[in-house]
Amino acid sequence: MGLFLWTIIEYIFHRYCFHASSSASWVNKVVFIMHGNHHEVPDDPLRNLMPLVVTVPLAVALWYLFGIGGRDYGRPAFVGFLIGYICYDFVHYMCHQSAMRGRLGFLIKRHHMLHHHALEDCNFGVTSTFWDVVFRTDFRNLIKRSDAHRH
């Protein structure tokens, strides 16, 4: 449950928070610090992981939030969520810093690199492409829709 929850949270945060745009300049500055600087220099290894100053307080808050669900459900869901986050950090770092061999590695890296180097408004999932397909924000879908509007 927690791992599945991670996938949708990863998608939502990447699409709506990390790529937010506002008329308030301070919001745009926060977004840039959180994620925009990563798009400026995507291969900088220091910008491929979320800083501990963000992740540790967030993890503590989530531990208590998931704890509301009780020990039987909330805490195991938190562990699944945490595993999802750790996988995200690892996969994201590897996308930028490694060749990612094998068919799955190639597909994951290609999906994320299209987000960085072709069209930032697509391919928001890093550890999963599922939500991009569901919400029609995968690169292929956006290209098809773009082509349909031109004809």
Side-chain angles (χ1 to χ4, degrees):
M1 182 176 80
L3 191 55
F4 179 76
L5 182 61
W6 165 257
T7 65
I8 187 67
I9 295 297
E10 171 193 314
Y11 176 88
I12 289 169
F13 268 72
H14 192 186
R15 181 175 181 186
Y16 296 107
C17 298
F18 297 161
H19 286 272
S21 182
S22 173
S23 59
S25 64
W26 72 270
V27 171
N28 294 328
K29 286 178 186 174
V30 169
V31 169
F32 182 81
I33 291 167
M34 274 190 330
H35 189 68
N37 64 6
H38 169 59
H39 275 268
E40 289 282 318
V41 189
D43 294 329
D44 181 347
L46 297 176
R47 297 179 187 187
N48 295 152
L49 299 172
M50 193 64 72
L52 287 176
V53 71
V54 174
T55 57
V56 171
L58 194 56
V60 170
L62 287 170
W63 172 256
Y64 285 104
L65 185 65
F66 274 89
I68 292 170
R71 290 184 180 161
D72 293 339
Y73 302 105
R75 300 285 162 81
F78 172 79
V79 171
F81 190 87
L82 188 61
I83 289 168
Y85 173 75
I86 291 167
C87 288
Y88 160 79
D89 252 358
F90 177 76
V91 168
H92 186 249
Y93 187 85
M94 295 304 289
C95 278
H96 289 278
Q97 302 302 321
S98 168
M100 296 204 46
R101 302 191 196 296
R103 181 165 168 74
L104 181 60
F106 171 79
L107 292 173
I108 289 171
K109 181 170 182 158
R110 181 175 177 269
H111 182 79
H112 189 59
M113 291 301 108
L114 284 170
H115 170 74
H116 273 278
H117 301 291
L119 187 61
E120 285 186 16
D121 292 334
C122 71
N123 293 9
F124 296 102
V126 175
T127 55
S128 170
T129 62
F130 177 76
W131 297 111
D132 283 306
V133 173
V134 168
F135 295 118
R136 300 177 59 181
T137 56
D138 57 299
F139 184 78
R140 288 183 189 161
N141 198 325
L142 290 176
I143 295 302
K144 285 179 193 173
R145 289 194 324 223
S146 174
D147 286 345
H149 289 300
R150 279 189 259 166
H151 297 291

